[in-house]
Amino acid sequence: MPDVDPDDDAPPEERYTRRREYTGAGSTLGIAALIVLAVGVAIWWFEIRGSDDAGNVSTKGLGIVELAAALNPTGQPPAAQDGRAAPDFKLATPDGTTVRLSDYRGKWVVVNFWASWCGPCRQETPDLQRLAERHRQTLVVIGVNQQESAEVAAKFTGQFDVTYPIALDADGEVSVAYRVAGLPRTLLVDPGGVIRSTTNGRITEDQLAKL
């Protein structure tokens, strides 16, 4: 004898309402799983991600900034390649101030992209510091840290007695504009703001001497 649905005797609209009210255990479990997933994502974002970003200053107003036409002698848009005007940037420093590339017009600028976990970066840092000290009247080194906290960057520079400006590329925008695919990456910018050479990997003392 076939099973009889107790709702069969109810009017059609009542049977429809009852079936909508209860859609089965699978649906209930699915909703519960979505809630658990949402809670887990929220915990990751606010606690784990938040701790990774701890110490980084706000990136509002920082990153790549517009280069005034009067500061671009090439007549071409800025680009991270030899012979083009270096893309201008403004970034925070570990001590809470800011550094802007175009503020150093009139001097040679060595822009060095680095991170504390990068072995070759650690090897070349003392050489960069000596270069900055030796030519402080005509040259400046800007160390652009790639997406690490201010505390990590400050610890690294303290370890190597770095005195040249350190810029925090907190969200990686400047690194992307400068086509940083690996670390370290070093660019030489002339007093007019034009990139004259690019070195991927550790820059040697002989290469620095040629600068």
Side-chain angles (χ1 to χ4, degrees):
M1 181 177 178
D3 293 336
V4 177
D5 189 336
D7 284 345
D8 284 348
D9 293 333
E13 64 275 9
E14 186 176 338
R15 292 200 301 269
Y16 176 74
T17 302
R18 290 179 183 177
R19 285 166 184 168
R20 289 192 61 186
E21 290 174 351
Y22 180 71
T23 55
S27 176
T28 303
L29 290 175
I31 294 172
L34 287 175
I35 294 173
V36 171
L37 178 61
V39 172
V41 170
I43 292 173
W44 174 83
W45 180 261
F46 289 108
E47 295 187 6
I48 300 177
R49 177 66 182 270
S51 64
D52 288 343
D53 290 342
N56 279 339
V57 298
S58 171
T59 59
K60 185 178 181 180
L62 304 178
I64 295 295
V65 294
E66 184 179 0
L67 180 65
L71 296 178
N72 185 351
T74 69
Q76 296 177 292
Q81 64 186 66
D82 295 356
R84 297 283 286 274
D88 198 10
F89 60 80
K90 180 181 180 181
L91 293 172
T93 65
D95 62 7
T97 60
T98 59
V99 57
R100 182 166 180 166
L101 177 60
S102 58
D103 286 345
Y104 296 96
R105 285 299 171 88
K107 287 189 174 185
W108 291 87
V109 182
V110 175
V111 182
N112 175 252
F113 290 86
W114 66 279
S116 64
W117 48 261
C118 165
C121 301
R122 303 180 73 88
Q123 295 168 0
E124 70 182 9
T125 297
D127 299 333
L128 290 167
Q129 176 62 29
R130 284 191 291 269
L131 178 73
E133 292 176 350
R134 189 178 301 123
H135 301 285
R136 65 181 61 184
Q137 299 301 319
T138 57
L139 178 146
V140 63
V141 176
I142 300 177
V144 182
N145 175 266
Q146 194 175 49
Q147 295 180 285
E148 294 186 299
S149 70
E151 287 79 7
V152 169
K155 181 178 179 180
F156 178 92
T157 56
Q159 180 181 355
F160 290 95
D161 297 320
V162 171
T163 59
Y164 54 78
I166 295 296
L168 302 172
D169 189 17
D171 60 7
E173 179 185 353
V174 176
S175 297
V176 170
Y178 275 81
R179 304 176 183 175
V180 179
L183 295 175
R185 179 172 169 85
T186 304
L187 301 95
L188 175 66
V189 181
D190 72 17
V194 178
I195 297 173
R196 292 304 177 190
S197 69
T198 303
T199 303
N200 293 315
R202 182 190 175 185
I203 191 165
T204 67
E205 286 194 80
D206 288 342
Q207 290 171 314
L208 288 173
K210 292 178 182 179
L211 295 181

